[in-house]
Amino acid sequence: MTDIAFEIVDVRAMEILDSRGQPTLEVQVTLDGGSRGRAGVPSGASTGEKEAHELRDEDPGRYGGRGVLKAAEAVNGEIADALAGVDVRRQRAVDDILIQLDGTDSKSRLGANAVLGASLAAAYAAAAASRTPLYRYLGGVMANVLPVPLMNVLNGGQHAANNIEVQEFMIVPAAADSFAEALRWGAEIYAALGGELSAGGYSSSVGDEGGYAPNLHSEEEALQFLCSAIRKAGLQPGRQVWLALDVAANDLRCGGAYRLRQRDVSAGELVNTYETWCGDYPIISIEDGLAEDDWSGWKLLTDRLGGRVQLVGDDLFVTSAELLRRGQREGAANAILIKPNQIGTVSETLHTMSTAARLNYSACVSHRSGETSDTFISDLAVAARCGQIKSGAPCRTDRVVKYNRLLRIEKSLDSAAEFAGLQAFMLE
Ligand code: PGA
Ligand code: ZN
């Protein structure tokens, strides 16, 4: 039965700025009953080859070619026409219309930014018209698990202008009793780390995801800094707070090998290095330890470390259920990173997350390095009960809004809230 209150009457997009000062889309869906949903679209810097494709104007006279006026036009024209009259609660139907209208595998005709913006805004509008918080609208009465935050407190790679090649060094306060406590631990460790870096004569300027971006002598020095900051904050590394890395190894790829610290290394040598780091430091998770085209390297890594470390495919899987199934067949990775803009619609994102749960892969919902004040991923993490989220350091509003949204959700769930804790990593 169609209820007029839920019928889409308008879809509008405009060009706004993201956290790097680059243009991105904001999309608003309006329903016949007057309810609205509004979403901001994120954008990555270290992207996977098979990600859905964001449409940029390529007009060198505006924003160095990175304008999104064409994508906005696609929303205001074709997408608005195609979605007019559709019941917004039928998210799968909304998303199928978008997918078919675009007609390409990579969503490159209308732009994955246009498609995702419309899909997210539809979900927000449906929740608003249902007078239900977004996490409960998406996840139902079982949407009560607050994720462990993986907080990127040291930035390198493409996210900072320093000499650290591993892109992200994260702290994981998994033994906290609640999300609020985990966030407090993270913020206190972050503050301690800033103090330690300054005391050591290092820069405490920050990178794209709010983590510090000093020049360091080695990856091991970064790991040592993290452990000493955890202790300085009165917490125990490996008992209360763990470490996680995003190597973003696509960016280290050099021919058939990898280049780390001015040395060519094979996949096998890289795996040896990770094994050493995991022996010396309480590392619970390694993301993109190898490049997306290196399936044999991924298998080796998974055979060697998969029993005791979460191995996350980001560029490897690009939030695609199909690539995840290949990973499972080939024994590559044991976890998946979930970024809605890699796949392009809410329904496909949820499908990939349920596929992961079925295949026994853990899942971590993630921001992009270019973000807006949108907090969809916070609600998504609770809705899907995946138990993990990464949204950068507890610094820069584009990062902190996601964590603050989770604080609010935890508070409103009250005694029904459960903190995912160490279990989310599905180790042991
Ligand atoms: P990106 O980085 O948003 O620049 O791709 C995030 C990540 O690699 O996890
Ligand atoms: Zn990554």
Side-chain angles (χ1 to χ4, degrees):
M1 195 183 71
T2 38
D3 180 337
I4 195 145
F6 293 93
E7 264 184 33
I8 296 175
V9 289
D10 194 26
V11 190
R12 293 265 124 214
M14 64 181 275
E15 189 182 61
I16 61 166
L17 291 185
D18 73 11
S19 56
R20 280 192 278 249
Q22 302 279 343
T24 190
L25 283 186
E26 179 172 278
V27 180
Q28 182 166 289
V29 164
T30 306
L31 307 182
D32 213 0
S35 297
R36 290 204 168 93
R38 191 175 67 197
V41 177
S43 176
S46 69
T47 50
E49 185 65 32
K50 300 199 177 80
E51 287 192 22
H53 197 83
E54 56 183 28
L55 187 66
R56 299 275 173 190
D57 295 340
E58 309 302 336
D59 168 3
R62 295 186 75 251
Y63 292 114
R66 295 186 58 78
V68 292
L69 295 180
K70 285 183 189 159
E73 226 175 271
V75 173
N76 297 337
E78 281 189 66
I79 289 180
D81 289 347
L83 292 182
V86 176
D87 186 321
V88 77
R89 291 168 297 185
R90 298 177 60 218
Q91 184 76 42
R92 183 77 242 187
V94 167
D95 292 340
D96 283 345
I97 290 170
L98 292 168
I99 291 165
Q100 276 157 28
L101 186 67
D102 173 76
T104 68
D105 285 345
S106 58
K107 302 189 174 67
S108 56
R109 193 181 75 77
L110 299 168
N113 39 358
V115 170
L116 181 70
S119 179
L120 294 175
Y124 277 116
S130 308
R131 292 188 169 66
T132 306
L134 182 63
Y135 66 91
R136 191 170 303 140
Y137 172 76
L138 292 172
V141 289
M142 293 298 285
N144 69 334
V145 176
L146 273 294
V148 177
L150 283 73
M151 303 169 89
N152 179 10
V153 293
L154 268 180
N155 294 184
Q158 288 202 39
H159 295 165
N162 59 358
N163 69 347
I164 307 182
E165 287 171 325
V166 166
Q167 181 178 281
E168 302 173 18
F169 290 85
M170 292 169 273
I171 47 172
V172 187
D177 284 332
S178 64
F179 178 79
E181 185 174 55
L183 190 64
R184 177 171 66 80
W185 287 4
E188 289 173 0
I189 294 163
Y190 181 74
L193 179 60
E196 299 267 287
L197 288 170
S198 297
Y202 292 97
S203 159
S204 56
S205 64
V206 301
D208 286 357
E209 297 188 349
Y212 300 113
N215 283 315
L216 295 177
H217 298 99
S218 64
E219 271 53 43
E220 287 87 343
E221 190 183 14
L223 294 164
Q224 281 158 19
F225 262 119
L226 294 192
C227 288
S228 68
I230 293 169
R231 282 191 208 95
K232 192 101 190 176
L235 295 158
Q236 292 176 298
R239 299 191 74 126
Q240 291 171 298
V241 182
W242 287 260
L243 308 183
L245 303 176
D246 180 2
V247 181
N250 272 359
D251 295 329
L252 306 181
R253 199 74 163 135
C254 182
Y258 296 86
R259 196 154 179 86
L260 185 64
R261 298 263 159 204
Q262 279 100 48
R263 250 176 27 89
D264 281 338
V265 292
S266 66
E269 287 171 295
L270 214 43
V271 171
N272 290 341
T273 303
Y274 299 148
E275 195 162 33
T276 306
W277 291 352
C278 290
D280 294 346
Y281 302 95
I283 296 172
I284 196 172
S285 176
I286 301 176
E287 178 181 331
D288 280 354
L290 293 157
E292 67 182 58
D293 60 352
D294 189 0
W295 287 87
S296 61
W298 268 101
K299 183 164 170 25
L300 178 70
L301 174 65
T302 310
D303 288 346
R304 286 270 285 283
L305 290 177
R308 55 198 164 106
V309 180
Q310 173 174 274
L311 302 168
V312 188
D314 170 13
D315 294 337
L316 181 71
F317 295 141
V318 292
T319 314
S320 150
E322 196 184 321
L323 286 168
L324 179 64
R325 278 192 292 269
R326 175 173 175 192
Q328 198 247 359
R329 276 197 308 275
E330 299 196 16
N334 56 23
I336 181 170
L337 203 73
I338 299 293
K339 292 166 165 170
N341 82 325
Q342 280 181 327
I343 190 74
T345 62
V346 172
S347 307
E348 288 167 292
T349 303
L350 291 169
H351 172 65
T352 301
M353 295 184 84
S354 63
T355 304
R358 244 188 344 268
L359 298 181
N360 245 356
Y361 273 59
S362 51
C364 176
V365 167
S366 171
H367 65 159
R368 299 308 303 246
S369 51
E371 268 294 340
T372 70
S373 52
D374 191 280
T375 56
F376 185 87
I377 58 167
S378 309
D379 286 72
L380 176 64
V382 177
R385 302 171 61 91
C386 67
Q388 301 181 44
I389 190 168
K390 64 170 204 172
S391 176
C395 170
R396 298 182 57 140
T397 309
D398 38 305
R399 311 298 140 185
V400 170
V401 278
K402 278 73 162 171
Y403 295 136
N404 286 343
R405 170 70 186 149
L406 287 163
L407 286 177
R408 274 184 228 111
I409 294 175
E410 187 170 65
K411 198 159 196 116
S412 66
L413 283 168
D414 197 20
S415 61
E418 279 173 33
F419 180 60
L422 208 50
Q423 266 182 16
F425 295 83
M426 304 203 308
L427 302 167
E428 281 122 27

